[in-house]
Amino acid sequence: IFEIIDARCSAKAPTIITTQLTKSDLSLVFSNPKRLEALIARIKEFFDFVHTKPHITPEEETINNSN
């Protein structure tokens, strides 16, 4: 993963990353903590974060609004 992100950042190539993983989840994937920190630093430096909210069905919205 690090090599892909690094190459795309170096080339200034458009990149979209989607994930539900947390930093704790990623620490289980990366055996080298320094490499994980480097990846996170690279992502924070070169990417904008877009947080989305979960999709709410009309039924759920009605239930939520009735409370």
Side-chain angles (χ1 to χ4, degrees):
I1 293 173
F2 182 83
E3 288 81 9
I4 294 169
I5 299 296
D6 188 53
R8 294 194 64 81
C9 289
S10 296
K12 297 182 181 174
T15 307
I16 297 173
I17 301 171
T18 63
T19 185
Q20 293 180 348
L21 297 175
T22 64
K23 186 176 178 180
S24 297
D25 295 333
L26 285 172
S27 69
L28 299 173
V29 176
F30 282 80
S31 58
N32 183 337
K34 289 184 179 184
R35 191 139 208 185
L36 173 60
E37 292 301 323
L39 174 66
I40 292 170
R42 176 72 46 131
I43 290 171
K44 286 180 177 180
E45 181 180 353
F46 288 100
F47 293 88
D48 294 321
F49 289 82
V50 178
H51 297 275
T52 60
K53 60 182 179 180
H55 176 72
I56 299 175
T57 65
E59 294 89 14
E60 292 171 322
E61 188 171 342
T62 302
I63 292 169
N64 289 339
N65 289 335
S66 67
N67 292 332

